[in-house]
Amino acid sequence: MNKLRIVACLAALGLSSASAQEWKPAGDKIMTTWGENLDYKNPHPEYPRPQLERTGNWKNLNGLWKYAIVDQAASAAPSNWDGDILVPFAVESALSGVGKSLSKDQALWYKNEISLPSRWQKGKTLLHFGAVDWRCDVYVNGQHVGQHEGGFDPFSFDISAALKKGEKQEVVIRVWDPTSDGPQPRGKQINNPHGIWYTPVSGIWQTVWAESVPTTYIVDSKQTPDVDKSSLTVSANIAGAKSGDELLVEAFDGKQKIAEAKASADGTINLPLSNVSLWNPDSPKLYDLKLKVVRGGKVVDEAKSYFAMRKITMKADEQGIQRMYLNDEFVFHYGPLDQGWWPDGLHTPPSDEALKFDVVKTKEMGFNMIRKHIKVEPARWYRHCDSIGILVWQDMPSGDLGGNTWDMQPGKVSNGQHDKDRTPESEAIHKKEWKTIMDKLHNFPSIVIWVPFNEAWGQFKTKEITEWTMKYDPSRLVNSASGGNFAYVGHILDIHNYPDAAMPDPRLFGDKFILALGEFGGFGLPLDGHTWQEKDNWGYVSFKNKEELADRYQKAVTDLSKLIPRGLSAAVYTQTTDVEVETNGLMTYDRKVIKIPENTLKKMHSVLYKK
C-alpha cells in the first residue's frame, strides 16, 4: 500500500498520519501498571504545589514537546528537531518516548507552542518548573527569560515581558547535564549504570506549568510550628508589595476558622492557637491556612496552604541515653530506604497515584518512617506523607564523589580527617542547592530529620555544613553523615551495617548523640518477569523464595528489637523496592509483587513500637 493510500485510509478512519505515529514508551524494560496505562495526552495533571495553591488561573504544560540533542557548543536553538518527547519524563526514560542518553558534550533542547489566555497579560505570568536536571536556560518568543542550576528544586520565571499579543507563545528550553562528569548534586545517577548506581536522569522530570498572578503576589511562605507556645510563625515573600500592604493569615480546622492574625507584608506573624491536635504517624492532623495580601482593606492576592503542629527534639531518657522525642514522647523510627526510582519513569513516577502508592504501602507494612535517599521528590509526595502519617528523613542528593576515604566505624576518625577537598565551584553548588532544598521543603511537617551527607559521598566540611544546617532550621534534627564519616557533630550518630542489625556503642556515644542504624538488611529476591535484567541481579544476601526471605526478615526484626532498650532510636531497612539490578526491595521494581504481605510485615514490626 503506497503512502497516499495509507493517508486516505487514515482519513477515512478519522485519523491523521501524525496521530498514527504518536507517543509510545521507548525500550523494552519492565513497566509499572500505571506506566502501561498512561494517558500520554494528560500526564501528571494535578496541581503541583500543595503548600501554596492558587487553583483558579493556572495551566498544566505537560505533554508532547519537540526535542533535539545537539552539540553542547552550539548556542542557538536547533532548526531541526529529532521528534517528540513526553514531558515531564527524562529523556533517558521509557515514558519520555525517547530513551536516549545525554553526554556532557551534548545539550538537550525542548520546544513547545503553548496557548495562554490573553487576559493573563493584565497581571503577571509565571512559568514554573518542578525540577530540571541540571542547568536550564529558558526562552519565550526568542527572549532569554532566565537560567537555573539545580536538578532537584522547583523554580520559576516571570515571563510577562516576553509575551506576544494573542494566546500563542513559543517556549524553548536548553538543558545541559554532565551527570557523573560534573560536580553537581546527582544522587544515584551515573553515566555508566551498574550495581547501586542507576540510569541518568536529564532534562525536565517534574511538571511544567504556567500561572497568572496579580502584579502583587505571594511568591512563597514559611510556616514553623511551636508546640510549646501553641503558635505558628508565618512569613511570606511578596513580590510587588507596596507601602501599607498587609499579610493576613487565617487558620482553619475543616470549615471552622480557629485563628487569624495580620502584620505588615514584610513582617512575621505569630499566630496563636488553642486546643489543637498534635501531628504524629497515628494521627496525622493537618490544618488549613489562607494567606492574603491586603491593601486598603481589599484582598489583592490569596493562596491556600496547610500546616501541622508537631515538634521533634533530642533529650536523654531515664538511663541518660539520648533519644528522639516526637511531641515529648519517645517514638522509635523505623522505615525503608526509599530511592524513589521507577523502571519506566526513572526519577518520575508514571502518575500521582503511583507516587502515593509507595507511601500507602509503606504505612500498610507497619513502618512509621521513610528515609528519602539522596533524592528530592515532587512536592505532592511530601503532601502524601503529611496526610498519611509518615515521618521523613530527607537526604541531600550527593555529588562530586571520589577522592576521599570512608571509615564507617565511629570512634576511629578524628574530626574532619577524611573530608573531601572540593573546589570552590563545587562547594558553592552544593551549598546553594542544599539551602534551596531546605527552603522549598520547610513547610512539610512530615520532614523531621535533615541528612546533609551519606557515606562520605562527596562529603566535605562536615562540621561547617552540619552546624549551618542546625542553625538554619532549628525546628528539626540533623543527621550529619548517615553511615560516616563521623565528625561528631549534629544530633545523630548513624552507622550502616549489612546485612544484620547493629548499633553504635551506647557506652561511648549514647550520652552525646541519638543512636541510629541508617541502613541494614538488603535481603534480595529476584522474581522472574519483574527484574530490570534477566540475570546478574543482586542483593546483599539473596534468597530463593518468599518463605526464606520472610524467615530471614523476621530474624532481623527480632534482633533489631533487642537493640532498642540498649539505646537504639531508629533503623532504616534497605529497601522499599527493587531498583534496576538491585533486587533487595520489599516490592519488585514494577510494584506488581509485594514479597512479604503487608499484614505480615505490620505484625512483625509491632514489637518495635512497644512502649
Side-chain angles (χ1 to χ4, degrees), residues 179-180 189-195 197-200:
T179 307
S180 48
Q189 306 173 59
I190 195 169
N191 289 329
N192 176 31
H194 63 277
W197 307 102
Y198 314 140
T199 303

Side-chain angles (χ1 to χ4, degrees), residues 24-66:
K24 66 178 182 179
D28 58 359
K29 297 294 187 182
I30 56 173
M31 300 273 289
T32 65
T33 301
W34 304 280
E36 292 167 344
N37 297 317
L38 180 68
D39 178 6
Y40 75 90
K41 295 181 180 179
N42 196 28
H44 285 277
E46 301 82 11
Y47 190 85
R49 192 180 58 193
Q51 277 286 5
L52 192 72
E53 288 192 35
R54 286 189 206 88
T55 54
N57 291 309
W58 78 287
K59 185 169 185 177
N60 193 308
L61 301 178
N62 293 339
L64 292 174
W65 292 48
K66 296 295 182 185

Side-chain angles (χ1 to χ4, degrees), residues 81-313:
W81 298 86
D82 297 344
D84 291 336
I85 183 170
L86 185 61
V87 170
F89 299 101
V91 67
E92 297 91 348
S93 72
L95 293 182
S96 71
V98 178
K100 294 180 180 178
S101 60
L102 189 73
S103 78
K104 65 179 177 61
D105 299 318
Q106 296 173 314
L108 170 64
W109 288 80
Y110 297 81
K111 185 177 80 167
N112 195 14
E113 185 179 68
I114 65 174
S115 180
L116 302 177
S118 298
R119 57 183 169 80
W120 282 20
Q121 298 188 25
K122 294 180 180 179
K124 297 283 188 180
T125 300
L126 309 179
L127 183 59
H128 297 278
F129 298 85
V132 181
D133 197 348
W134 174 69
R135 179 183 294 154
C136 172
D137 286 274
V138 180
Y139 303 82
V140 175
N141 298 320
Q143 294 186 40
H144 185 253
V145 296
Q147 181 184 86
H148 178 265
E149 292 182 347
F152 295 92
D153 55 295
F155 60 97
S156 61
F157 298 117
D158 181 351
I159 62 171
S160 309
L163 296 179
K164 301 185 299 184
K165 290 184 178 180
E167 296 188 350
K168 300 296 182 182
Q169 315 291 337
E170 183 187 72
V171 178
V172 173
I173 300 167
R174 181 189 187 274
V175 174
W176 178 68
D177 180 23
T179 307
S180 48
D181 287 330
Q184 80 290 346
R186 57 181 171 85
K188 283 291 191 83
Q189 306 173 59
I190 195 169
N191 289 329
N192 176 31
H194 63 277
I196 64 170
W197 307 102
Y198 314 140
T199 303
V201 172
S202 299
I204 297 168
W205 68 273
Q206 289 186 34
T207 291
V208 183
W209 55 294
E211 180 184 29
S212 176
V213 296
T215 53
T216 299
Y217 64 95
I218 302 167
V219 179
D220 53 41
S221 66
K222 183 177 182 179
Q223 290 121 228
T224 307
D226 188 328
V227 169
D228 294 334
K229 294 180 180 179
S230 194
S231 65
L232 183 75
T233 301
V234 184
S235 60
N237 176 14
I238 300 172
K242 296 182 179 180
S243 177
D245 285 356
E246 293 178 305
L247 174 66
L248 172 65
V249 177
E250 301 170 321
F252 293 84
D253 184 358
K255 294 182 179 180
Q256 181 183 1
K257 185 189 292 187
I258 60 173
E260 71 172 79
K262 67 170 60 175
S264 62
D266 60 352
T268 297
I269 291 175
N270 189 4
L271 187 68
L273 300 161
S274 60
N275 300 318
V276 290
S277 300
L278 301 185
W279 184 99
N280 64 67
D282 295 328
S283 180
K285 176 65 176 178
L286 301 177
Y287 294 92
D288 293 323
L289 274 182
K290 286 185 180 179
L291 308 171
K292 300 177 181 179
V293 180
V294 180
R295 178 180 299 153
K298 294 183 178 180
V299 176
V300 296
D301 187 36
E302 180 176 348
K304 294 190 298 181
S305 188
Y306 68 93
F307 69 98
M309 296 301 292
R310 68 100 186 93
K311 72 171 181 175
I312 185 82
T313 52

Side-chain angles (χ1 to χ4, degrees), residues 383-457:
R383 169 71 203 211
H384 294 320
C385 291
D386 291 344
S387 59
I388 291 168
I390 289 285
L391 300 163
V392 175
W393 291 26
Q394 179 62 55
D395 287 12
M396 169 62 183
S398 54
D400 201 358
L401 279 62
N404 59 336
T405 56
W406 176 36
D407 190 334
M408 64 178 179
Q409 296 300 320
K412 294 184 178 180
V413 182
S414 62
N415 190 0
Q417 180 177 332
H418 292 320
D419 276 358
K420 178 169 182 167
D421 185 15
R422 292 170 70 157
T423 66
E425 177 196 22
S426 175
E427 287 190 11
I429 289 170
H430 180 101
K431 291 176 180 178
K432 178 183 177 182
E433 190 155 359
W434 183 222
K435 179 182 180 298
T436 304
I437 288 169
M438 290 179 64
D439 287 341
K440 299 298 183 182
L441 298 183
H442 179 86
N443 290 347
F444 294 104
S446 55
I447 300 174
V448 291
I449 308 288
W450 296 120
V451 188
F453 296 112
N454 177 77
E455 290 188 359
W457 293 356

